[in-house]
Amino acid sequence: MSQAFDLAVVGAGVVGLGHALAAVRRGLRVVVIDRDAQANGASIRNFGFVTVTGQQRGECWRRAMRSRDIWAEVAPQAGIEVVHRGLLVSVRRPEAEAVLEAFLATEMGEGCALLSGGEARARLPALDAQQLAALWSPHDMRVESRQAIPKLARWLQEAKGVTFHRSTAVTGVEPGRVHTATGTIEAARIVVAPGDDFRTLLPERFEAYGLTRCKLHMLRVADPALGTLPGSVMSDLSLGRYLGYSELPEAEPLKVRLRAEQGELLDNGVHLIVVQSADGSLVVGDSHHYATTPDPFAPEHVDELILDEYEAVFGRRPSGIVERWTGTYASAPDRLAFIDRPDPAIRLVVVTSGTGASTGFAIAEEAVAELFD
């Protein structure tokens, strides 16, 4: 650890790796330090869905577009498979169709198309006959996050010369130094990307943000009869949750109807995302429960609510559940991410929403530019 670096990154999740990537593209010497032996947090527990369409209008949407472009450029170099591209938001209520029409009229709808129910079923025959319309977007993409994050780290190390210190606890940071349980690392600039750990490093900097944690339920299911998805799939409930849709004035009637008809799902933060893996299995989710310290338990009832919405879209439940897990991520009441500046040479970067895979690379570019420009 006697080597000195231009940038030290604390945290090897997607946000931390994004900073390492942005720095090595500038020709900088980079070290990444992480307490775990391998990626184990939110970055591998999600859908691997690089979501552009539906992200909050403005900064978040622009960051998602930029991050998607970086993923598309880096994935083939790092040996990361893009499992599928595109998004189909299939809806069964006229109020939801009105939201899709309003979305298409914004700059975010450029390149997207509104499909009739019949056109949507032609693209995905497994859709239930009650589906009224669908939005098709070509802008989104999906990687298998469990493989993509380790492959990205390996490529950064082997092809780009990034140094990694795994299984290394960071005990403190100060300008020019990262203190670990096994020694001190010298670096001109430091980025702390701690995910949802608010207590270990710079705890006083978190106080202003009112952070909590979000726990979500995820499922891997088998449903061979569904066939090959044309892209990721969402439903009416997503229009009430994703801010790019839900903040449109036209979304208000839909939210009222969703509350009346599916209040229990809303109370559990349930909406539907279905993505497909290379082996044909499906990753299905998710739910959202908030607490300072979320409990580790995953009630079956919440999984059943997710599958209720799956059945509403496809007319049946999946043939089998292969795997279940939970994830957690940082959440803030008034922002989707922040770059905090405890010192001119230090940045604390946290994505405070479920948009890390979708926006993290662009946020990292911004933070690295601040530090070195």
Side-chain angles (χ1 to χ4, degrees):
M1 292 191 180
S2 61
Q3 183 180 359
F5 297 91
D6 298 309
L7 178 67
V9 180
V10 181
V14 68
V15 176
L17 295 180
H19 285 83
L21 174 62
V24 296
R25 284 179 151 185
R26 292 169 167 255
L28 302 174
R29 296 165 297 167
V30 181
V31 60
V32 177
I33 311 106
D34 196 274
R35 64 188 176 190
D36 289 321
Q38 71 281 324
N40 196 51
S43 296
I44 65 159
R45 302 190 190 195
N46 57 29
F47 295 93
F49 184 20
V50 184
T51 314
V52 174
T53 311
Q55 298 291 11
Q56 187 179 39
R57 196 173 190 173
E59 180 180 62
C60 183
W61 181 76
R62 290 191 297 271
R63 284 172 166 174
M65 291 285 279
R66 174 59 184 156
S67 295
R68 186 276 317 271
D69 290 345
I70 297 172
W71 272 110
E73 178 184 347
V74 168
Q77 298 178 50
I80 298 169
E81 180 183 5
V82 177
V83 185
H84 54 69
R85 298 176 186 270
L87 167 66
L88 188 74
V89 184
S90 183
V91 301
R92 57 189 182 272
R93 298 175 175 92
E95 294 90 343
E97 185 177 16
V99 176
L100 297 183
E101 291 172 345
F103 177 83
L104 282 168
T106 72
E107 72 283 0
M108 300 179 292
E110 183 177 354
C112 301
L114 184 64
L115 308 179
S116 68
E119 290 170 332
R121 283 185 288 277
R123 192 164 297 212
L124 180 54
L127 289 174
D128 184 73
Q130 298 302 312
Q131 300 303 300
L132 179 65
L135 174 75
W136 170 255
S137 170
H139 301 308
D140 310 77
M141 60 185 286
R142 195 227 167 199
V143 298
E144 192 73 62
S145 53
R146 293 188 198 184
Q147 285 82 48
I149 299 303
K151 285 183 176 181
L152 177 60
R154 189 177 309 117
W155 175 72
L156 286 169
Q157 181 175 9
E158 296 176 356
K160 298 299 180 181
V162 175
T163 299
F164 280 82
H165 291 299
R166 299 280 189 180
S167 302
T168 301
V170 175
T171 57
V173 296
E174 61 177 303
R177 293 180 178 84
V178 176
H179 301 289
T180 80
T182 55
T184 297
I185 298 172
E186 295 184 359
R189 304 286 188 272
I190 298 167
V191 167
V192 178
D196 66 348
D197 179 0
F198 314 147
R199 307 298 180 200
T200 304
L201 298 174
L202 306 170
E204 71 284 356
R205 303 299 302 186
F206 287 99
E207 293 177 2
Y209 296 101
L211 299 188
T212 186
R213 293 179 176 87
C214 178
K215 180 181 77 171
L216 50 93
H217 285 219
M218 302 285 290
L219 307 167
R220 184 178 295 275
V221 307
D223 197 352
L226 207 63
T228 301
L229 299 186
S232 305
V233 177
M234 293 184 178
S235 72
D236 304 52
L237 286 171
S238 302
L239 302 184
R241 183 166 189 91
Y242 271 67
L243 299 177
Y245 312 115
S246 68
E247 290 183 341
L248 296 171
E250 292 82 358
E252 293 307 312
L254 173 63
K255 288 188 279 189
V256 170
R257 183 168 178 181
L258 290 175
R259 171 53 61 185
E261 296 179 352
Q262 293 185 287
E264 187 177 12
L265 279 79
L266 297 185
D267 290 341
N268 286 275
V270 170
H271 76 118
L272 185 72
I273 301 177
V274 181
V275 300
Q276 195 160 44
S277 298
D279 63 2
S281 66
L282 306 168
V283 178
V284 178
D286 57 356
S287 58
H288 300 79
H289 297 92
Y290 299 88
T292 303
T293 302
D295 65 54
F297 308 112
E300 178 73 16
H301 176 62
V302 176
D303 290 350
E304 289 300 313
L305 292 175
I306 296 170
L307 294 177
D308 285 347
E309 185 67 6
Y310 182 102
E311 185 174 8
V313 173
F314 297 113
R316 65 180 183 282
R317 271 166 151 66
S319 55
I321 297 175
V322 178
E323 193 175 26
R324 306 172 193 258
W325 67 97
T326 60
T328 64
Y329 60 75
S331 178
D334 60 350
R335 68 194 70 217
L336 302 177
F338 65 80
I339 301 173
D340 188 77
R341 301 161 182 86
D343 182 88
I346 300 173
R347 293 294 181 271
L348 172 62
V349 184
V350 182
V351 175
T352 53
S353 58
T355 65
S358 302
T359 64
F361 284 173
I363 294 169
E365 280 190 335
E366 295 169 22
V368 169
E370 279 191 17
L371 285 171
F372 290 95
D373 290 346

